Amino acid sequence: MLAYIIRRVFQSALVLLIVGLVAFAMFRFVGDPVDNMLGQERTQADVERLRQQLGLDQPFPVQYWRFLEQAVQGNFGLSYRQGRPVSDILIERLPATLELAFVSGLFALAFGIGLGVFTAIRRKGFAANAIMTLSLIGVSLPTFLIGILLIYVFSVELGWLPSFGRGEVTRIGGWTTGFLTESGIKALILPAFTLGLYQMTLIMRLVRTEMLEVLRQDYIRFARARGLRERAINFRHALKNTLVPVITITGLQLGSIIAFAIITETVFQWPGVGLLFINAIQFVDIPVMAAYLMMISVMFVGINLIVDLLYFAIDPRLRVDRSAGKAT
């Protein structure tokens, strides 16, 4: 087990290094930030002096090594646009994105697993078929279009929910939350539903497929032959074995919620790190873009590592296979 964890941690660190290298190399082609930072009356001496101050006159390997050296310490440099430490800007914006991702992930998991089990057990019923038909909307329609439709219906026509912003927030130490205010909760409903709808439908269809496969197994038939209650068969035996392969996909989908929050935050002008990244692209703010991609990579790799360890701990077959491999 310890050797497996060490190997997975090493692989995760290698992935982060590669992602950082690719991201840092791509930003060399999005434009020169000096052009946006200096006015039209700049001179060549001003350009050279600013490039030297930012370290852009150094070779690419030197810039990349300096970026990694500072990133390990949590220092991503100064924002070219705001002139403030990037870490401070991320800390200010991160609570909004994590709050949105948490509610969206909770919605996707709760309704995805619940509806997936329901449509598998009642697969021939009218309600199950209706749910599966409606789920095609969440799978096929793009996120930005769903967000625009929700804004038009619930904000423009009905006027029930706000169409943009985070509402009133409460500061608790260094953290800001909208859970404690009515306007904050109302502002969270539409973006959370928009962001979690695709993930919910994907989890629901995956759970349904796995549940139907498990219900066809011989041990389920044997449980019915023993006279066990249908509820015990479905939830104690079938659901438990259904969730084992679902864990991997679900973990990756929860990670993608944070990454895909860019679109949702742009549609609803949600003041999170996704909207910050979009604004950074427009102003060629390389430190902010690099810090954002590294943060998303760390979250993805971390979630993937946790999922692998949970999968190893939950599924006894992996432990048995690994022990057998060592014995031979």
Side-chain angles (χ1 to χ4, degrees):
M1 181 66 176
L2 181 60
Y4 177 77
I5 295 176
I6 294 175
R7 184 169 62 255
R8 293 294 295 122
V9 171
F10 176 78
Q11 293 173 353
S12 301
L14 182 61
V15 169
L16 288 177
L17 288 175
I18 296 175
V19 170
L21 176 62
V22 173
F24 201 79
M26 288 175 57
F27 293 148
R28 295 173 61 87
F29 303 99
V30 299
D32 192 349
V34 176
D35 295 336
N36 293 326
M37 299 176 68
L38 296 178
Q40 295 294 331
E41 299 180 358
R42 65 181 182 271
T43 63
Q44 186 62 31
D46 295 333
V47 173
E48 295 297 332
R49 182 173 62 256
L50 183 57
R51 291 182 64 86
Q52 184 177 6
Q53 292 176 355
L54 299 177
L56 299 177
D57 59 332
Q58 300 293 328
F60 175 77
V62 176
Q63 295 184 40
Y64 177 63
W65 175 255
R66 183 176 301 172
F67 167 75
L68 289 179
E69 193 176 33
Q70 295 178 350
V72 172
Q73 303 173 8
N75 180 18
F76 296 97
L78 296 177
S79 169
Y80 294 163
R81 179 190 177 191
Q82 303 184 30
R84 299 170 52 203
V86 176
S87 57
D88 293 345
I89 300 175
L90 290 178
I91 291 174
E92 291 178 359
R93 296 293 194 102
L94 192 59
T97 297
L98 292 181
E99 190 172 277
L100 177 61
F102 172 76
V103 176
S104 302
L106 193 63
F107 162 74
L109 279 176
F111 283 89
I113 295 177
L115 292 178
V117 172
F118 175 79
T119 53
I121 296 175
R122 310 288 185 184
R123 59 185 178 277
K124 296 182 180 180
F126 173 79
N129 292 326
I131 291 173
M132 292 302 298
T133 302
L134 292 175
S135 68
L136 295 176
I137 298 176
V139 175
S140 58
L141 290 182
T143 302
F144 74 89
L145 183 57
I146 295 176
I148 293 174
L149 291 175
L150 291 177
I151 290 175
Y152 176 75
V153 173
F154 293 99
S155 299
V156 178
E157 292 295 329
L158 299 177
W160 292 351
L161 299 171
S163 60
F164 66 93
R166 196 183 176 192
E168 185 180 356
V169 297
T170 302
R171 178 172 293 275
I172 304 176
W175 189 271
T176 58
T177 178
F179 288 147
L180 303 178
T181 62
E182 182 180 357
S183 62
I185 295 176
K186 286 184 177 180
L188 186 60
I189 294 176
L190 290 184
F193 182 82
T194 302
L195 182 60
L197 182 61
Y198 173 78
Q199 314 298 336
M200 186 270 289
T201 53
L202 190 64
I203 294 174
M204 182 193 73
R205 300 178 78 88
L206 178 62
V207 170
R208 180 181 183 273
T209 302
E210 293 293 337
M211 187 81 169
L212 290 175
E213 183 67 25
V214 171
L215 289 175
R216 298 190 186 100
Q217 299 299 318
D218 292 336
Y219 67 88
I220 296 296
R221 297 193 184 98
F222 179 73
R224 288 197 176 99
R226 289 182 56 193
L228 294 180
R229 293 183 178 180
E230 201 66 23
R231 178 184 296 272
I233 295 174
N234 292 330
F235 293 98
R236 183 179 301 175
H237 300 284
L239 181 59
K240 180 180 178 181
N241 291 279
T242 296
L243 294 181
V244 172
V246 172
I247 288 177
T248 302
I249 302 299
T250 301
L252 296 178
Q253 291 305 311
L254 292 180
S256 65
I257 283 180
I258 300 178
F260 292 147
I262 293 179
I263 301 174
T264 304
E265 290 184 4
T266 303
V267 172
F268 291 95
Q269 289 299 293
W270 188 264
V273 292
L275 184 60
L276 176 68
F277 179 71
I278 295 297
N279 294 332
I281 293 177
Q282 297 175 355
F283 289 90
V284 199
D285 200 342
I286 295 178
V288 174
M289 292 189 288
Y292 172 82
L293 288 182
M294 288 300 296
M295 182 189 69
I296 295 299
S297 301
V298 169
M299 289 184 178
F300 256 109
V301 171
I303 291 174
N304 192 23
L305 177 61
I306 293 174
V307 167
D308 286 346
L309 296 179
L310 286 176
Y311 201 81
F312 185 84
I314 292 175
D315 194 346
R317 293 172 297 181
L318 295 178
R319 297 194 296 269
V320 172
D321 293 342
R322 191 168 298 276
S323 300
K326 292 181 179 180
T328 58

